Amino acid sequence: SMHRNPSFLRKLLPASFADYRNTLPQYLIPKRLLSRLMHALTRSRWRAWKTWQIDWFIRRYQVNMNLAKISDPRSYADFNSFFTRELRGDVRTVATGVDEIACPVDGHVSQVGAIDDGRIFQAKGHYYQLEQLLGGSASRATPFKNGCFATLYLSPKDYHRIHMPLRGRLREMTYVPGRLFGVNAGTACVVPGLFARNERVICIFDTDAGPMALILVGALFVASMETVWSGVVTSPSARTATTWNYDATANSVILERGAEMGRFNMGSTVIVLFGPGSMRWDPAVQPEAPILMGQLLGSLIKQN
């Protein structure tokens, strides 16, 4: 019957009562203060405290430490070192075909599809603007208009480093201060324009597929995000967006497909953007599908 089938209701309603119940308090709590507190607690090196945090987390989220390069939980200096742990070299295979695009993260596909004249689908009943996502810059948005996007969600237990889908030369990085709402499926159904409101780091690369954007979206308790070329990017006190350009040969950053490009110091979301007619998603990349770093995300469309 209908009332026993929540998925039936889910198809009718953009969000459930539980989604609202869990999300509305996020409007009220001091998210930035809590994230700063989390930043301090996850970097404490007090042995008893960090051991308790790591042990609790492994039990709570059933983390498979056999995949980690350092499998002994006691070997990590603090919780954040454990959280951003490196994987063993043999547990992920990066797509190697000449036209193949590799998945940048472990996690789940939240949404995937076409950018419809500057609008991106968030969840049932919610879209957001490409231009807002990219920090309000029309010139930054233009190459991706009518292109395609994938929104990839990392759960707490997932590997939290981000890798390159394609070989790319970094063109620019923009840090956009913003809100710190959670980014799970329930919140996405409730908070309008979620990904274009949260704090984020926008990285634009030139690749064989043309321009590619990797957007690291902050979330509740994500105390910081970092990239391999600049270290920690996020700033609790920043009020306006900051852009760094990497055009000059002196500070050029070129990363190979599969190379690490950054990491979340707590879990979050990566949005990948490509321009129109440049690539197609692999059919296995569907909403709610599990994904692994390095797996085939899509393929280049050869330009005539």
Side-chain angles (χ1 to χ4, degrees):
S1 70
M2 188 176 95
H3 66 274
R4 287 193 195 137
N5 186 347
S7 65
F8 179 84
L9 285 173
R10 170 73 85 181
K11 287 184 177 72
L12 292 179
L13 301 168
S16 68
F17 173 74
D19 293 336
Y20 283 103
R21 184 191 64 212
N22 295 336
T23 300
L24 293 179
Q26 292 186 37
Y27 281 94
L28 306 174
I29 60 175
K31 295 182 280 294
R32 209 155 278 287
L33 179 65
L34 285 172
S35 290
R36 281 183 179 181
L37 177 65
M38 183 65 77
H39 186 277
L41 291 174
T42 55
R43 284 161 181 77
S44 166
R45 300 198 164 192
W46 180 36
R47 187 184 294 267
W49 169 244
K50 65 106 177 172
T51 300
W52 178 84
Q53 285 183 94
I54 293 169
D55 288 351
W56 176 86
F57 194 91
I58 289 171
R59 279 199 315 276
R60 169 73 177 78
Y61 293 106
Q62 297 174 340
V63 177
N64 181 359
M65 291 303 291
N66 293 325
L67 301 179
K69 188 173 184 181
I70 300 171
S71 59
D72 176 13
R74 300 281 181 277
S75 298
Y76 292 93
D78 55 30
F79 179 84
N80 192 64
S81 305
F82 152 76
F83 190 83
T84 58
R85 63 196 173 275
E86 194 176 349
L87 292 181
R88 284 199 344 245
D90 60 342
V91 297
R92 294 286 178 271
T93 306
V94 176
T96 55
V98 68
D99 296 330
E100 292 183 344
I101 299 167
C103 182
V105 291
D106 282 8
H108 279 78
V109 178
S110 174
Q111 297 294 342
V112 61
I115 299 168
D116 181 15
D117 195 32
R119 285 198 328 159
I120 299 176
F121 182 65
Q122 175 176 302
K124 187 160 184 177
H126 290 295
Y127 288 81
Y128 56 95
Q129 295 298 319
L130 170 68
E131 195 173 309
Q132 290 332 112
L133 175 70
L134 293 176
S137 163
S139 62
R140 198 177 293 135
T142 299
F144 300 105
K145 201 175 171 187
N146 296 314
C148 51
F149 79 97
T151 306
L152 311 174
Y153 171 70
L154 291 74
S155 74
K157 74 174 192 311
D158 288 322
Y159 169 62
H160 273 88
R161 299 190 185 192
I162 306 140
H163 294 252
M164 290 292 287
L166 284 171
R167 181 180 195 270
R169 179 192 291 273
L170 180 65
R171 188 194 305 166
E172 63 169 47
M173 173 175 75
T174 300
Y175 167 58
V176 184
R179 306 294 292 272
L180 289 171
F181 287 106
V183 288
N184 61 27
T187 317
C189 287
V190 174
V191 179
L194 173 65
F195 301 114
R197 292 170 71 178
N198 268 17
E199 178 175 64
R200 56 206 178 277
V201 177
I202 302 159
C203 304
I204 311 279
F205 293 90
D206 289 316
T207 75
D208 285 348
M212 172 185 76
L214 287 178
I215 301 156
L216 285 52
V217 184
L220 187 62
F221 301 138
V222 177
S224 67
M225 294 174 275
E226 56 188 88
T227 63
V228 295
W229 58 86
S230 66
V232 172
V233 183
T234 44
S235 161
S237 57
R239 291 288 171 267
T240 55
T242 311
T243 297
W244 294 264
N245 289 299
Y246 297 86
D247 299 335
T249 318
N251 66 350
S252 68
V253 176
I254 299 174
L255 295 172
E256 298 300 324
R257 176 174 51 183
E260 184 185 334
M261 64 75 62
R263 62 182 72 171
F264 288 113
N265 293 321
M266 282 297 265
S268 194
T269 290
V270 173
I271 301 173
V272 188
L273 306 179
F274 288 101
S278 62
M279 62 82 69
R280 62 173 68 85
W281 302 113
D282 187 71
V285 179
Q286 296 284 337
E288 299 183 23
I291 47 168
L292 293 175
M293 189 281 284
Q295 82 174 58
L296 184 63
L297 191 72
S299 304
L300 301 187
I301 296 174
K302 275 293 170 225
Q303 308 297 326
N304 293 327

